[in-house]
Amino acid sequence: MSQTQIRFSGSGGQGLILSARILAAALAARGKFVAQSQAYEPTSRGGLSRSDLVVSDREVDYPLVTSLDCVVILDQVAVAASEGLLRPDTVTITDAARVSAPPGEPRRVLALPITGKARGIGNIRVANIVALGALAELAGIIDPDSLRETMLDLVPPRFRDLNAEAFDAGREMAATLENA
Amino acid sequence: MSNPTNIQGNAAAAAGAIAAGCRFYAGYPITPSSEIAEQMAARLPKAGGTFIQMEDELGSMAATVGASLGGVKAMTATSGPGFSLKQENLGYAAMTETPCVIVNVMRGGPSTGLPTRPAQADIMQARWGTHGDHPIIVLAPHTVREIYEETIRAFNLAEALRTPVVVLYDETIGHLVETVTLKEPEEIITRKWAEGPREDYLPYAAGADMIPAFPRPGDGYRTHTTGLTHDERGFPTQDPEKVAAFMERLLGKLETHRDLIEKNELVETDGADVLIVAIGTPARAAKSAIRELRDEGIRAGLFRPVTLWPFPEEALKAAAKGKRAVLVPEMNAGQMILEVERVLAGEAPVTGLNVFNGEPITPAQIAAAVKELAK
């Protein structure tokens, strides 16, 4: 049985749970079974926040992650929580500015200027969507165009253009990296 | 029937309740069950029902029982500390044979314990939390889909058997979001209403099915409702013959309807060397572990009570027949294992795997324990 495990993590308020919800919705709409769990600290900003997806072609047995295929880390505070779940081939995407000490052991860590790009677009709060775009391009779990469609359905209409720009910027950033 | 959609376990409980015909919810929000109150507050009025946030859990349980006595399908939801406060009126529901559904989303305890962490330490409380010999049904769903289905079944059983029914699951499943297709209920049961001449009506007289007909408010049937031990007229009695007859019917009615109540899932139990008995998140970890172990040539199977109480004695005995060992993983210091040991006394060695640090049991922990037993 093929199963994929994905984590979005960072600090509270970065919108990581929304990123996970968008990806989960897109996967469910395409016939996958998804189990999404989350953990956060009792503060509205700051503290470790993460949301995990277990994706399968059938009903998921164990709904929590045990070994990650992909992980997005947008803040240093979230690094330790994933250390024990990483494999050498885990696609590990970190924010270049906010993760100064990425997970150890020899593995390919893709440090991308995610929050920097979001700030450049005009709103640091879309960093979660920049990250989603980058993940879509790098992880090979879903067609990025169809994920983009679901994303635009789920964000408030007045923020559609901003989020579209953020998603495309994330994809482009990742594509450049892949070609390098 | 809905398209596949991602919904949270607690939202599935609310959806199941409304699909089953629940039209009254009284609650006092508490983590990790609060989303049930939140969902019911938003959805019940649109379904023609009533939502009320009471002053505390004592009041919310009382209001739930009162609404049901008024003829409406009623529910409340809570977690450990609130479940403790609901016990007195839960006993009143059992004694007065008032149908109602109580969802308990288990967090770490005792006392306020670990509000956002999963546990299964209310297994015995769900059975024996209120005082006195009393009938109660406890259902233990292990997926979001099953929370929806079992909440519907909880209402059906409550109505059919005039008893409180507890839906019991751990925080991990309550807060889990899963892809689910919500199917319309195949069957919706509503309590048997009193019929026939009003002057002959006895509110607590029952036929062979042991279930008295319920007086629908407004139909003019005279009734009396009390937590004191009562006769067929509903009035208090201490006559030993009447008391014994009442208690035998009260406790016997679930035994009589065991076929309707009992539900178990068996996974690869035929030919297994080790039998795992689990509910909730540990049962899901067990399913995952069973697959991994099979690849290594170790044969394990799962017996999962979907109806936890009354405990599935005969079915468990049958599933455990010829097994070398039985493993009971639970997120508590050892509760369900006491029942498993009682039922399997002398037939198979029973070992517990107990995790009570606020973390869910993992497939790796179960696989390691099974390997040890399979040696």
Side-chain angles (χ1 to χ4, degrees):
Chain A
M1 177 189 58
S2 79
Q3 205 182 63
T4 309
Q5 302 187 6
I6 305 154
R7 165 170 291 182
F8 292 88
S9 62
S11 81
Q14 286 185 311
L16 295 150
I17 292 173
L18 178 63
S19 299
R21 266 179 44 206
I22 291 168
L23 180 56
L27 289 162
R30 281 145 197 91
K32 297 286 185 186
F33 287 86
V34 184
Q36 183 208 339
S37 58
Q38 51 217 16
Y40 43 88
E41 291 175 13
T43 50
S44 55
R45 294 279 181 277
L48 167 66
S49 168
R50 61 167 174 80
S51 185
D52 299 339
L53 304 185
V54 179
V55 187
S56 174
D57 291 327
R58 45 182 286 284
E59 266 193 344
V60 173
D61 281 341
Y62 192 62
L64 307 176
V65 297
T66 50
S67 170
L68 292 169
D69 295 284
C70 341
V71 60
V72 172
I73 307 174
L74 290 193
D75 194 285
Q76 186 64 42
V77 74
V79 171
S82 294
E83 287 276 13
L85 300 168
L86 302 178
R87 304 186 306 253
D89 63 338
T90 302
V91 176
T92 307
I93 301 169
T94 64
D95 184 73
R98 299 188 60 156
V99 180
S100 50
E105 297 174 40
R107 70 167 59 84
R108 190 176 172 217
V109 172
L110 309 164
L112 302 176
I114 292 166
T115 50
K117 181 58 88 174
R119 196 178 290 113
I121 290 167
N123 192 335
I124 195 169
R125 289 177 64 186
V126 294
N128 61 337
I129 303 298
V130 177
L132 188 63
L135 178 83
E137 196 66 32
L138 291 168
I141 43 180
I142 189 167
D143 167 38
D145 290 326
S146 76
L147 176 60
R148 188 181 192 273
E149 247 172 71
T150 303
M151 184 272 294
L152 292 176
D153 284 344
L154 290 177
V155 298
R158 68 183 189 281
F159 294 126
R160 257 186 212 144
D161 291 346
L162 178 67
N163 281 294
E165 198 184 335
F167 189 83
D168 295 342
R171 281 187 69 179
E172 200 187 309
M173 196 187 282
T176 316
L177 191 80
E178 275 192 322
N179 296 333
Chain B
M1 193 162 115
S2 74
N3 290 320
T5 165
N6 293 337
I7 69 164
Q8 192 202 45
N10 284 338
I18 291 173
C22 174
R23 291 296 177 268
F24 183 88
Y25 181 99
Y28 189 76
I30 177 171
T31 301
S33 75
S34 298
E35 296 85 0
I36 301 175
E38 187 186 354
Q39 288 276 324
M40 291 303 261
R43 300 171 68 154
L44 253 190
K46 291 179 194 156
T50 301
F51 170 93
I52 183 167
Q53 178 169 331
M54 295 296 288
E55 71 275 20
D56 58 25
E57 285 90 347
L58 287 80
S60 60
M61 190 69 224
T64 301
V65 176
S68 181
L69 286 169
V72 178
K73 292 186 185 180
M75 178 169 97
T76 187
T78 190
S79 184
F83 195 48
S84 292
L85 294 174
K86 287 181 197 285
Q87 293 301 330
E88 181 184 4
N89 283 319
L90 199 156
Y92 187 76
M95 185 57 146
T96 58
E97 299 179 70
T98 308
C100 55
V101 173
I102 304 100
V103 181
N104 177 18
V105 188
M106 289 182 283
R107 66 193 224 181
S111 189
T112 37
L114 301 163
T116 64
R117 305 304 309 167
Q120 297 180 309
D122 304 348
I123 286 174
M124 284 297 174
Q125 185 192 23
R127 176 64 192 91
W128 297 112
T130 199
H131 60 274
D133 289 323
H134 62 277
I136 196 154
I137 296 171
V138 180
L139 309 180
H142 80 321
T143 63
V144 173
R145 172 178 60 78
E146 205 172 50
I147 289 175
Y148 174 78
E149 293 168 357
E150 289 304 301
T151 304
I152 293 169
R153 199 164 73 93
F155 275 94
N156 284 343
L157 292 172
E159 292 284 321
L161 306 174
R162 287 191 60 174
T163 180
V165 178
V166 175
V167 180
L168 188 71
Y169 53 87
D170 58 79
E171 182 274 341
T172 295
I173 297 163
H175 279 160
L176 188 69
V177 173
E178 284 191 281
T179 311
V180 178
T181 302
L182 301 181
K183 295 181 180 150
E184 287 300 319
E186 282 169 20
E187 185 184 24
I188 291 191
I189 299 174
T190 301
R191 68 194 75 169
K192 179 174 70 185
W193 300 109
E195 289 177 339
R198 289 182 206 154
E199 54 277 13
D200 298 340
Y201 176 66
L202 289 168
Y204 285 92
D209 70 351
M210 293 188 157
I211 315 295
F214 202 95
R216 194 201 312 261
D219 280 2
Y221 291 95
R222 280 164 46 143
T223 190
H224 187 256
T225 307
T226 175
L228 289 168
T229 305
H230 38 272
D231 59 20
E232 291 187 335
R233 300 170 307 146
F235 287 103
T237 180
Q238 295 193 53
D239 177 333
E241 265 181 44
K242 286 180 179 168
V243 171
F246 170 75
M247 288 302 291
E248 275 161 23
R249 183 182 64 74
L250 188 69
L251 300 173
K253 69 178 178 179
L254 297 196
E255 210 47 56
T256 303
H257 294 280
R258 225 181 220 275
D259 289 351
L260 184 67
I261 300 167
E262 194 159 315
K263 186 175 175 185
N264 307 295
E265 186 193 15
L266 279 76
V267 181
E268 311 214 5
T269 51
D270 287 343
D273 293 318
V274 177
L275 182 70
I276 304 165
V277 183
I279 61 167
T281 297
R284 299 183 67 158
K287 286 182 179 182
S288 183
I290 287 165
R291 284 175 214 287
E292 288 167 29
L293 289 164
R294 191 178 46 198
D295 294 342
E296 297 177 40
I298 297 168
R299 296 190 302 178
L302 171 70
F303 179 86
R304 182 174 69 88
V306 181
T307 300
L308 177 61
W309 300 106
F311 198 72
E313 299 172 0
E314 295 308 317
L316 174 60
K317 261 185 214 163
K321 213 167 186 63
K323 303 290 183 278
R324 270 169 61 187
V326 175
L327 177 71
V328 186
E330 30 181 356
M331 297 189 287
N332 58 45
Q335 296 194 11
M336 189 167 69
I337 192 172
L338 300 174
E339 279 299 287
V340 176
E341 283 172 341
R342 179 180 67 79
V343 170
L344 300 181
E347 291 189 27
V350 179
T351 306
L353 168 61
N354 302 98
V355 174
F356 41 87
N357 60 358
E359 293 298 319
I361 287 181
T362 64
Q365 286 170 321
I366 291 181
V370 168
K371 276 183 201 168
E372 203 55 42
L373 292 172
K375 268 181 190 168

